[in-house]
Amino acid sequence: MSTTAYRTDLDRAIAELSAGSERWAQTTLVARADLLARTGVSVSGEAERWVAAAARAKGVEPSSTLIGEEWLTGPYGVLTALTALGRTLRSLAGERSPLFGRRFGRAPGGRVTVAVLPYRAYDGLLLHGFRAEAWLRPGVTAAQARSRAGLGQLTPAMTGGVGLVLGAGNISSIAPLDVLYELLAHNRVSILKLNPTFDGLLPVYRAALAPLIDAGLLRIVTGGADVGSYLAHHPGISHVHITGSAATHDAIVFGGSTPDTPRLTKPISSELGGVSPIIVLPGRWSAQDLRYQAAHVATMRLHNGGYNCIAGQVLVLSATWPQKAAFLGEVAAALAAAPARPAWYPGSEERMRAARAAYPAARSVAGGHLLVLAGASAAQEDMLTTEYFAPVLGVLQLPGSGQAFLDAAVETVNRDFLGTLGANILGLPGTIRRLGPGFEQAVARLRYGTIAINAWTGVGFLSVAAPWGAFPGHTLDNVQSGIGVVHNALLLDEVERTVVRGPFRPFPRSIAHGEWALLPKPPWFVSARSGSLTARLLTDFAARPSVRKLPRILAAAFRA
C-alpha cells in the first residue's frame, strides 16, 4: 500500500473514532456494562481461534502443554477484565462505590490498602492461598479511595478523545486490556496498532472485539514504525499508550530531538519492563522446598519463553547461605527440564549472544538455550541494567543473613537494577514471621509497582482488579518501567503498588506445615503437566461461571 493510501485509511479511522467518542460520552453506565457483556460473549466465541493464532505466532505446537499459557494470558485475561469492569460500571450506575464491601487495611508509612485478590468468591477457591492488596499512596484515606474509585466513569460525559495504543508483541491479552483501560479509566476510544509479531491475530482480534468496533470505539491496524509514528503525531490523537521497551518509548517521545526537547507534544503513558529481581531469603529449606521453589524460579524466567516484561532475571542470594549451591543445582535442573520451545521473539538470539559475550564463563543449560550467570562477576552490571528479554538468568550474591541480608538486597535492587515494574521475594513463612515488622518495612522500601511474596509477579498481572504498572514517579527523560497503570478493574485512584502473597509450599505440603493453602502446583508453572487443560477450563469458567464447573477445574489442577 502506498504512503498516501495508508494515511488516508488511518485518517478515516481516526475520524470514525472521533464520532464514536462523542457517542460514548452519551452512553449510560448500564449501556456501557451491557456492551462489555456482549464483548465477553464475542471473546468467548473466538477463544479457540485466539489461542491457536497466538500459538502459531510463537511456534508452539497445538499438543504442547505450553498451550495453557496462551489460554491464561489470552482470552482468559480479557474475559475476567470484561466481567470485572462491567461490575464496576453497574456499581457506579447504582450510585455505589466499586469498593463497597472491599476489605481495607494498613501498610507501613500509614498507607491504606485495598484487597484486590480474591476479587470474587470463586477466586478464594480457585486461587486458595493467594491474596493481593493495592497499596495507595501515602496520605490517601479509605474515604478518599471510596469516593475516587471509578476514575473516568465518575464523569462519563467527559470525553478523553481518541488515543493510540501501541500493542505489545509478547502476550496476546495486553493490547485488548490496554484498550479497555483507556475506554473505562479515561473515556478514551482507541486506534490499536498491533506489534508486527501479532499481525496474524488481526482477524481474531477484530472478531473477538467486534462489539467495540461496531460501536465506533475501536479500530485495529497493522504496520511498521512508520505507521506508529504517523499515528503518534497525528493531530486527531490526544494521547499515546505504549507497551514495549524504553528505547521504543524514547524514539516516539524524542525522535531525533535532544533529550530535553520532546518531539511528542501530547501525553503518553507506558509499561516498559525492566530487570526483575528474585530475592531469596536464606533459611533451612527441605529438599522438597528447594525443588519446588526452583521450579517456581524456572517459571518466572521461562514463562512465554522468557519474553515477559516481568520475567525474573536475577536471583539475589546470600553468599553465606549453606544451601546456596544445592538451590542453584535445583534451579539448573528445573531450567533444563522445562519444555522446549523455539526462540520466537525477534532479536532473541542476538540478545543471547550478547549475554554470552558479557559472561563467557556462564553455564549453558539445555543445549545452550538457557544460561545461568553464576556469581558476582566483574561485569555483573550488565545483567542488572540490561533487560535480556530472553531465557537468561543471572545470580547476584550479597553478604549477610536475616534482616541484614534483606535490607542489603532491597538497597541493591532499588539502586542498581533497571526498572521498577516487578520484584519477587521467596522465603520460608517462619523466616518471614521472625523478621516481623522488619520484613514489612523492607517491602515498603522496595520501589516496585508489583511485589510478589512467595508468588510470581505474573499473578498480579493476571489478577484483574490489581493495578499494574511501574512504581510511580518516572519522567519522560528517565522513564524506566513506564508511567501510569493499567488493568485496575476497580478503577482505583492514587495507587502506589500492588503486593501479592502466596503459599511457600503447594497443597498438601502446605497444610502439613501449617500454611492454609489448598492450591497444588499452580497451572502457570512451566512444569505443570495439566496446565493446558486447567487453563482451558478456567477460560470457559470466566466466560460462563457456574458452581457445577468447579469440580472439573479442581480435578485438572490437582493433576499438575
Side-chain angles (χ1 to χ4, degrees), residues 174-191:
I174 291 178
L177 290 173
D178 290 347
V179 164
L180 289 171
Y181 196 69
E182 286 287 288
L183 187 62
L184 276 300
H186 305 295
N187 283 321
R188 194 154 43 230
V189 304
S190 295
I191 183 165

Side-chain angles (χ1 to χ4, degrees), residues 204-218:
V204 174
Y205 281 147
R206 284 180 170 167
L209 304 175
L212 300 179
I213 294 171
D214 294 344
L217 308 177
L218 173 65

Side-chain angles (χ1 to χ4, degrees), residues 285 288-297 327 426 454 503-504:
W285 295 19
Q288 289 174 306
D289 294 337
L290 292 169
R291 193 172 306 117
Y292 177 77
Q293 291 300 340
H296 201 176
V297 168
F327 183 58
L426 302 177
N454 286 334
F504 182 75

Side-chain angles (χ1 to χ4, degrees), residues 77-305:
V78 176
L79 285 167
T80 56
L82 287 164
T83 298
L85 287 166
R87 289 182 64 178
T88 291
L89 286 169
R90 295 188 191 280
S91 292
L92 292 168
E95 299 184 347
R96 191 171 66 181
S97 170
L99 303 188
F100 178 81
R102 288 277 133 193
R103 179 175 54 82
F104 285 79
R106 306 292 291 184
R111 294 171 174 87
V112 168
T113 68
V114 181
V116 293
L117 179 70
Y119 168 71
R120 55 183 182 175
Y122 292 130
D123 294 337
L125 181 60
L126 296 173
L127 290 172
H128 196 276
F130 287 85
R131 58 190 176 93
E133 295 85 31
W135 290 22
L136 306 182
R137 299 194 193 200
V140 178
T141 67
Q144 289 171 330
R146 290 189 185 94
S147 65
R148 296 173 185 173
L151 298 179
Q153 299 314 294
L154 296 174
T155 54
M158 292 182 63
T159 175
V162 181
L164 167 64
V165 171
L166 296 170
N170 60 330
I171 294 293
S172 65
S173 64
I174 291 178
L177 290 173
D178 290 347
V179 164
L180 289 171
Y181 196 69
E182 286 287 288
L183 187 62
L184 276 300
H186 305 295
N187 283 321
R188 194 154 43 230
V189 304
S190 295
I191 183 165
L192 164 62
K193 193 197 86 67
L194 300 183
N195 185 295
T197 302
F198 278 169
D199 280 357
L201 274 78
L202 177 63
V204 174
Y205 281 147
R206 284 180 170 167
L209 304 175
L212 300 179
I213 294 171
D214 294 344
L217 308 177
L218 173 65
R219 293 292 182 267
I220 309 175
V221 301
T222 60
D226 55 340
V227 173
S229 179
Y230 179 74
L231 288 170
H233 299 282
H234 194 287
I237 296 295
S238 63
H239 180 274
V240 177
H241 178 79
I242 177 175
T243 300
S245 69
T248 302
H249 168 275
D250 290 349
I252 292 169
V253 172
F254 297 106
S257 61
T258 58
D260 59 347
T261 308
R263 179 169 168 251
L264 189 72
T265 57
K266 60 197 67 174
I268 182 170
S269 55
S270 50
E271 192 262 77
L272 305 174
V275 174
S276 293
I278 308 168
I279 299 171
V280 180
L281 303 180
R284 295 182 64 183
W285 295 19
S286 71
Q288 289 174 306
D289 294 337
L290 292 169
R291 193 172 306 117
Y292 177 77
Q293 291 300 340
H296 201 176
V297 168
T299 293
M300 296 181 195
R301 177 64 270 183
L302 298 182
H303 182 277
N304 200 40

